[in-house]
Amino acid sequence: MGWPIKLSTLALLALDSLLARTVNQQPLKAPIAVDDWNPWLSRPWDEQPDKDATSNLIFQSLAGLMQMKANSKHPNGHSIVRASIPPGTALYHGRHKVEYPTRDWIAFDPEHSAIFALGSNGTLLTFITTRELTLLYFDGCSGNKVDGVVDTQDLLFWGRLQHKRQGWWGELERIEDGCTWARQYGIDGFVRMEFDFEIMYCDFSDGLELVSVISPVNGQPPVTHPSRPPPRGTPYTRDNLSQVLSRISPAEATFHGFLRTERPGEVLEQPDGLMMALSPLTPPPGWKGTLPFLGFEAKRSGTWHNDFPGELRVRPEPSTLVSFFDPSLTSLVTARRNMTRNEYAAGNISREDLARLRQDVAEMAARPSGAGSGVDWVGLARVIEERFRDRLPYLQHLLRQPVVNSSAQAAAVRKQLMVSLIPYMHREAIGESEWFANIARDCATRFTAGLPVSRFTKQERLLHCAIDEVLHEICRVYTGAWVDAFDVEAKSMEAATSLLAKWADEFNALIEWLDWPVWIQCHPACEVSEYCYVPQGRPWGLPDDHEPRCLSIEDEIF
Ligand SMILES: *[C@@H]1O[C@H](CO)[C@@H](O)[C@H](O)[C@H]1NC(C)=O
Ligand SMILES: *[C@@H]1O[C@H](CO)[C@@H](O)[C@H](O)[C@H]1NC(C)=O
Ligand SMILES: *[C@@H]1O[C@H](CO)[C@@H](O)[C@H](O)[C@H]1NC(C)=O
Ligand SMILES: *[C@@H]1O[C@H](CO)[C@@H](O)[C@H](O)[C@H]1NC(C)=O
Ligand SMILES: *[C@@H]1O[C@H](CO)[C@@H](O)[C@H](O)[C@H]1NC(C)=O
């Protein structure tokens, strides 16, 4: 019991001597490492990011790795990252036949595999990884097969977009050619995301041990769906979609979900997979009672991986994160200028930029595992998010209140600015322009000033720049407001009123620019009978609808 007291006494003594030294005019001057290649450390503290800046987008990719919500909100992926799965991890594969798989898809949740284990020959296999698997992860909704979401894979495997797709939206060629590419680098397969995460696995005889095989109870015979689908190419609008959905069964809604792809009707030619989920349920011999339709549990199991750290069984290596948001890919910078966020697509890249990017991926794929600085980039992004995730929305909340007593309201905002900036406030030159500049610079660099830049990979340099610019912008907005707020208590009501409006604009813009994954939440939180769902757009929903919502656990609709 004595130890904690002794320790805290020691800590206080240490603090005392530190304070004494500071007061004795011998401040501990921390050197700031200035990297030549990182422009953000030398820019004026009050300079805004360029309109073409992508640091916020790169930060989002990093902070949202392997999370369902973040990647559902912005379906077109922009990152290719090497990742691993530890030995001893259970993985699942469902099929409508009994033969052992060779090159095929793997799910992380048995609920996801079950929708493929249909028919009287339906089989659900469970594997355990026998060694660490090495995979490549494509972020975004990379398993959704429609244009845009598959761009990063197609550009890597084929060097172009595959607009004319053969078997199963091009998936059969994608897995074949992807695995041919992967073989050169000892990569076992690819991690992608649809309504749950999945792997395209190149060789089931390597790295996996079969631990269970069952013919699951939901194995009903495949029966062709009886209802006539609308003619090929029938468009849906917001107006008639809900009408259509209200007329048809949940199973049919899934079916229509497929028809909302760009190649309507294609699914009809597909003999395997989800189509079978539409078949009437026929219980196996000896079964008693009803056999509920469980086809939608896969969508719910996907949402288990909604928030940080997401699908934990996959460990991405951020030191290999090749990003199509890299500002040196100038063809994409130009393409993005007239686009909305969700129109940004890797497919707009020029031939020259793509050649460089494919070289970068080849270089990182060939790199030994564990190369890089060892910095925990995901952890760093998370720590930064946590520091501001509640504070920024609270400031926004204060600034959204109707103005009743502007002086009191400005004072409340002033307090919140101080709460975040006080670790960077020196006692010298208080109130002078140099004081504010030092606050902003310290605020922007405290997290990253001491990083081991000399050991960074090319991809880590990009992450470092992105994090620095994001912090620079946060600290610019905070310090900019602090310049006006410092003496706001002595200012008139009118002055306070106009400052409140100015700050509201600045902080609204900051929050919109950051667009952090941690803010993708169902408000209010879902009930115990519900789950939080972020629609992924095509092919499962309306193209622009990515609003988080609580759905009933009993709902059977995509
Ligand atoms: C089940 O598998 C057997 C052996 O492969 C095959 O002969 C039979 O046609 C299959 N049944 C169905 C319904 O697919
Ligand atoms: C939805 O409405 C559009 C425009 O009114 C129409 O062309 C289309 O056929 C409708 N789709 C369905 C499935 O009814
Ligand atoms: C970007 O790609 C989209 C989709 O392929 C296309 O519609 C658009 O014209 C392209 N824009 C530019 C600037 O290349
Ligand atoms: C973007 O839009 C502006 C104005 O609408 C136009 O002047 C410009 O040429 C467009 N740029 C591209 C790359 O399409
Ligand atoms: C506004 O709030 C301040 C600080 O709380 C208070 O001193 C002042 O009396 C209030 N003014 C009015 C008009 O309510």
Side-chain angles (χ1 to χ4, degrees):
M1 290 306 287
W3 267 107
I5 293 167
K6 268 193 199 147
L7 276 179
S8 63
T9 310
L10 279 176
L12 279 177
L13 284 173
L15 189 64
D16 264 358
S17 77
L18 178 68
L19 287 175
R21 268 205 275 178
T22 314
V23 169
N24 293 339
Q25 310 300 324
Q26 292 174 325
L28 298 168
K29 277 260 185 271
I32 291 178
V34 178
D35 324 305
D36 299 337
W37 48 267
N38 187 339
W40 282 97
L41 293 177
S42 51
R43 290 200 192 166
W45 74 266
D46 54 354
E47 187 175 313
Q48 286 189 47
D50 195 85
K51 282 201 171 47
D52 292 331
T54 53
S55 51
N56 54 332
L57 306 173
I58 295 168
F59 189 99
Q60 288 160 22
S61 305
L62 173 66
L65 283 174
M66 294 306 300
Q67 293 154 52
M68 183 63 60
K69 275 181 182 163
N71 289 286
S72 300
K73 181 171 179 188
H74 301 302
N76 289 347
H78 280 73
S79 301
I80 303 179
V81 198
R82 198 168 66 183
S84 63
I85 294 182
T89 304
L91 300 169
Y92 308 89
H93 174 76
R95 46 180 35 219
H96 68 289
K97 50 193 171 193
V98 292
E99 290 81 12
Y100 194 82
T102 51
R103 170 173 292 176
D104 217 312
W105 277 257
I106 287 180
F108 291 90
D109 300 306
E111 286 76 4
H112 189 185
S113 291
I115 57 181
F116 302 101
L118 299 168
S120 50
N121 286 340
T123 311
L124 181 61
L125 302 98
T126 306
F127 296 92
I128 295 280
T129 55
T130 55
R131 56 173 172 81
E132 183 176 89
L133 306 183
T134 305
L135 305 153
L136 217 56
Y137 166 49
F138 298 99
D139 76 348
C141 294
S142 48
N144 272 349
K145 302 158 195 64
V146 294
D147 285 346
V149 300
V150 291
D151 287 5
T152 53
Q153 308 160 62
D154 292 6
L155 292 171
L156 179 65
F157 301 156
W158 297 318
R160 64 188 161 82
L161 300 184
Q162 181 84 325
H163 281 302
K164 190 180 150 299
R165 302 211 172 102
Q166 308 291 315
W168 207 8
W169 308 277
E171 287 281 89
L172 301 179
E173 299 141 295
R174 204 168 274 131
I175 194 170
E176 286 309 314
D177 295 340
C179 285
T180 304
W181 182 92
R183 195 181 304 130
Q184 313 168 72
Y185 305 102
I187 286 174
D188 297 303
F190 304 96
V191 179
R192 311 193 305 176
M193 191 191 93
E194 48 173 4
F195 44 84
D196 200 349
F197 286 92
E198 64 174 23
I199 304 172
M200 294 199 292
Y201 200 70
C202 294
D203 183 1
F204 272 68
S205 71
D206 188 2
L208 301 175
E209 185 186 334
L210 184 65
V211 291
S212 153
V213 185
I214 69 163
S215 302
V217 154
N218 62 346
Q220 71 277 22
V223 176
T224 313
H225 193 262
S227 75
R228 297 287 305 164
R232 277 172 181 241
T234 305
Y236 286 89
T237 63
R238 276 173 195 278
D239 290 340
N240 62 16
L241 181 65
S242 56
Q243 273 179 13
V244 171
L245 290 179
S246 69
R247 280 204 312 269
I248 58 177
S249 72
E252 280 177 306
T254 319
F255 180 69
H256 285 261
F258 275 101
L259 290 179
R260 288 198 302 275
T261 67
E262 280 134 328
R263 263 157 288 278
E266 211 165 49
V267 67
L268 298 177
E269 290 141 28
Q270 175 49 42
D272 302 355
L274 274 171
M275 267 297 287
M276 307 290 186
L278 307 171
S279 318
L281 301 175
T282 309
W287 183 260
K288 291 185 182 159
T290 54
L291 188 58
F293 180 70
L294 300 177
F296 297 94
E297 291 306 317
K299 178 188 168 197
R300 284 186 272 280
S301 62
T303 65
W304 300 340
H305 319 299
N306 260 346
D307 294 296
F308 181 87
E311 176 44 84
L312 191 57
R313 286 163 283 192
V314 178
R315 313 274 164 84
E317 274 181 73
S319 67
T320 65
L321 189 154
V322 172
S323 175
F324 281 78
F325 288 131
D326 185 334
S328 72
L329 302 170
T330 51
S331 53
L332 289 178
V333 174
T334 315
R336 278 191 298 265
R337 281 191 187 134
N338 282 1
M339 288 180 180
T340 60
R341 170 71 168 90
N342 279 348
E343 286 167 348
Y344 298 173
N348 288 117
I349 199 167
S350 70
R351 203 175 273 277
E352 296 73 31
D353 284 345
L354 179 61
R356 286 196 296 127
L357 182 131
R358 291 176 89 200
Q359 236 169 20
D360 283 352
V361 177
E363 186 273 324
M364 73 78 161
R367 204 183 283 159
S369 100
S373 70
V375 167
D376 178 4
W377 293 101
V378 169
L380 179 56
R382 184 67 183 175
V383 166
I384 293 166
E385 272 190 316
E386 280 176 348
R387 188 141 195 275
F388 296 100
R389 67 176 281 182
D390 297 333
R391 287 172 171 180
L392 280 169
Y394 181 55
L395 262 173
Q396 195 175 43
H397 164 82
L398 288 179
L399 291 165
R400 273 182 181 159
Q401 301 308 307
V403 176
V404 180
N405 179 340
S406 60
S407 297
Q409 286 169 260
V413 172
R414 179 181 180 278
K415 181 190 162 196
Q416 286 307 310
L417 299 173
M418 271 197 75
V419 162
S420 290
L421 293 179
I422 209 138
Y424 319 113
M425 284 185 192
H426 300 250
R427 284 161 175 252
E428 301 85 28
I430 287 175
E432 292 170 23
S433 66
E434 183 200 341
W435 185 62
F436 293 109
N438 280 336
I439 292 173
R441 194 170 311 114
D442 265 17
C443 168
T445 57
R446 194 64 68 75
F447 281 107
T448 57
L451 292 181
V453 291
S454 62
R455 297 206 301 275
F456 282 176
T457 62
K458 180 175 182 187
Q459 291 78 39
E460 287 182 289
R461 291 206 291 274
L462 183 68
L463 295 179
H464 188 198
C465 280
I467 289 181
D468 270 343
E469 192 178 1
V470 161
L471 284 169
H472 186 283
E473 178 59 359
I474 293 171
C475 298
R476 178 190 75 80
V477 173
Y478 266 93
T479 311
W482 177 244
V483 168
D484 293 326
F486 180 43
D487 62 351
V488 73
E489 287 154 318
K491 286 179 182 162
S492 68
M493 287 278 209
E494 293 70 36
T497 303
S498 75
L499 282 175
L500 285 171
K502 180 182 166 195
W503 296 335
D505 289 346
E506 285 276 325
F507 278 97
N508 288 341
L510 174 64
I511 288 170
E512 195 186 326
W513 186 78
L514 291 173
D515 187 20
W516 275 344
V518 73
W519 290 326
I520 310 170
Q521 298 295 340
C522 285
H523 288 299
C526 301
E527 299 288 334
V528 67
S529 58
E530 298 171 327
Y531 65 110
C532 183
Y533 180 68
V534 179
Q536 299 184 345
R538 299 169 310 138
W540 310 106
L542 296 167
D544 302 318
D545 177 13
H546 301 284
E547 268 312 299
R549 73 219 29 202
C550 296
L551 298 180
S552 163
I553 285 180
E554 301 295 344
D555 263 357
E556 299 219 323
I557 206 154
F558 257 98

